[in-house]
Amino acid sequence: KAGVTQTPRYLIKTRGQQVTLSCSPISGHRSVSWYQQTPGQGLQFLFEYFSETQRNKGNFPGRFSGRQFSNSRSEMNVSTLELGDSALYLCASSPRQGFNGELFFGEGSRLTVL
Amino acid sequence: QQQVKQSPQSLIVQKGGISIINCAYENTAFDYFPWYQQFPGKGPALLIAIRPDVSEKKEGRFTISFNKSAKQFSLHIMDSQPGDSATYFCAASSTNAGKSTFGDGTTLTVKP
């Protein structure tokens, strides 16, 4: 069974640009969550989607947004990039009918903002 | 407000020794407590997890001990091996809210 796939793995952007990250969950998983990982702040929850609906959102500014498609694939977008947005963005999927407390992470998309 | 406190920040253990990582949480709404292992360049991988109605869970060399009244839980790695060298994160999950709150991580180094 294929794991969670995230693209792109690495990207470099400049301040003010926007970026879109993609995530394909494990087959059959319908819950997709996004986390930001930085050395200073650790793993911070961004949002969780289930059946194309955002069910919960973390404490991030409105520049961070996401969506989920009918095939459970998800994208997140960051607009007007800032230097502090440099981080590893992790997507995770969860089995069964929704989030059950267990997360299966992809390898992440490492974003560098110059 | 940090809801999950993890200690120590780093840990060095000799091969064959026991590694112990502790976590404490505040929110009683958490209903699932997983641990994750992360190697450099990889995403965190689910290692072992426990529900709050269980005091201990063992899987191979990994054991979670859970103290509901103290709101604390810990990971014990028995017979630690150099291949266990990684960063370990505890988490407290709220299945209703659809989110997990992570500790800051513990970098474990197992010396051969």
Side-chain angles (χ1 to χ4, degrees), chain B residues 3-25:
Chain B
Q3 296 189 51
V4 179
K5 294 183 179 180
Q6 183 172 346
S7 62
Q9 188 174 17
S10 62
L11 180 61
I12 300 175
V13 174
Q14 292 293 324
K15 178 182 176 182
I18 302 173
S19 304
I20 301 175
I21 304 170
N22 301 298
C23 283
Y25 64 98

Side-chain angles (χ1 to χ4, degrees), chain A:
Chain A
K1 206 173 193 181
V4 176
T5 303
Q6 292 188 245
T7 56
R9 289 291 315 280
Y10 304 90
L11 64 167
I12 300 173
K13 294 286 187 178
T14 56
R15 281 181 297 173
Q17 288 187 311
Q18 74 166 18
V19 65
T20 299
L21 308 177
S22 180
C23 171
S24 294
I26 292 172
S27 178
H29 287 194
R30 295 170 61 190
S31 170
V32 174
S33 303
W34 289 88
Y35 286 80
Q36 181 196 64
Q37 186 175 26
T38 59
Q41 297 297 317
L43 280 152
Q44 299 291 318
F45 172 75
L46 281 157
F47 21 66
E48 189 250 350
Y49 288 89
F50 177 74
S51 291
E52 303 177 65
T53 300
Q54 185 182 92
R55 298 199 298 181
N56 201 354
K57 190 179 191 314
N59 188 24
F60 280 83
R63 301 185 296 107
F64 291 81
S65 63
R67 59 177 176 168
Q68 186 181 34
F69 303 96
S70 59
N71 61 358
S72 296
R73 193 177 68 84
S74 178
E75 289 181 348
M76 69 162 283
N77 183 277
V78 187
S79 62
T80 319
L81 284 166
E82 300 178 359
L83 295 178
D85 297 334
S86 294
L88 180 66
Y89 290 89
L90 291 160
C91 170
S93 68
S94 193
R96 303 181 191 151
Q97 294 302 309
F99 181 68
N100 70 344
E102 296 180 347
L103 294 166
F104 293 83
F105 285 92
E107 296 196 331
S109 293
R110 184 165 295 281
L111 170 65
T112 301
V113 181
L114 302 177

